[in-house]
Amino acid sequence: MAIEPFQRLTSNTTTVFFGNNMAQAAFNAANDINGGNHPDPVPRVNVWPSLKKFGNDTTTQPYSPFGGVSNPEYIWNQPTSDGQTVAFAVASGAFVVIPGEILSFGVFLNAFADNAMQAKIELFEFAGGTFGKAFPQPTGLDEFLLVAGEPNTPAEGLTETQPYNWQDIRMYSTRFSAPIATTSSRTFTIVVSFEVTNYLIQPNRPNPAGLQFICDIYSDLDT
């Protein structure tokens, strides 16, 4: 058995996709649908933390598996507005499971959002020319929805006031095994999706919003 770095996924304006909701964003990302559009970069606000690599985590190191990946960006769908909800998703590179092969993954997610955030890690399978959500989801993914903060209902209002209760970096990790291939190879991709809501705020105050994340994926191959 060998544990190998598979891929690092980060928030950016080129490989992350929008959707009207998490499911649509995940589908757009899995299928690289440019019609889903990409997010806008937003500047870091001085009260936001910043997810970054160590300064010497580069390709010049003897072992830095993701050293060539840039630091994540803060992203949003601009113009920003009060009560706005935005869905994002990013997909890993595709991988193939051949008959008789057991392929497992470890997924490590770190994310920060201003304000409320939901996240999901799902497996998509290629069939009929399109990636679609694999059913059932493997144990370790299931239908587990990660939740940070309270998603806003603009009609009712959820006004943020100091001290803010959303200023936390969120971390989650899981592992799963891809479905087994029996008679023919199967192709999959791992999709991470988010839905972020910008809280309502007191009048005449700035109300920025943004999402930043890093997701590291490792695999182990046992034949």
Side-chain angles (χ1 to χ4, degrees), residues 3-80:
I3 299 174
E4 300 289 344
F6 181 72
Q7 192 172 359
R8 169 170 286 176
L9 306 174
T10 63
S11 49
N12 62 77
T13 59
T14 56
T15 63
V16 176
F17 289 80
F18 279 135
N20 292 330
N21 50 50
M22 293 175 73
Q24 185 184 69
F27 181 85
N28 291 343
N31 291 283
D32 194 22
I33 297 177
N34 286 320
N37 296 323
H38 301 287
D40 302 306
V42 293
R44 177 190 175 193
V45 178
N46 60 6
V47 295
W48 293 352
S50 184
L51 300 174
K52 286 187 177 181
K53 304 184 297 180
F54 285 93
N56 62 343
D57 181 6
T58 68
T59 55
T60 62
Q61 297 302 313
Y63 185 74
S64 186
F66 304 121
V69 181
S70 299
N71 282 315
E73 299 177 79
Y74 266 108
I75 56 174
W76 196 251
N77 182 17
Q78 294 186 306
T80 304

Side-chain angles (χ1 to χ4, degrees), residues 119-142:
K120 184 178 284 190
I121 304 167
E122 299 169 292
L123 188 67
F124 276 56
E125 182 172 8
F126 190 76
T130 303
F131 277 102
K133 185 174 176 180
F135 289 101
Q137 288 286 290
T139 300
L141 299 184
D142 303 311

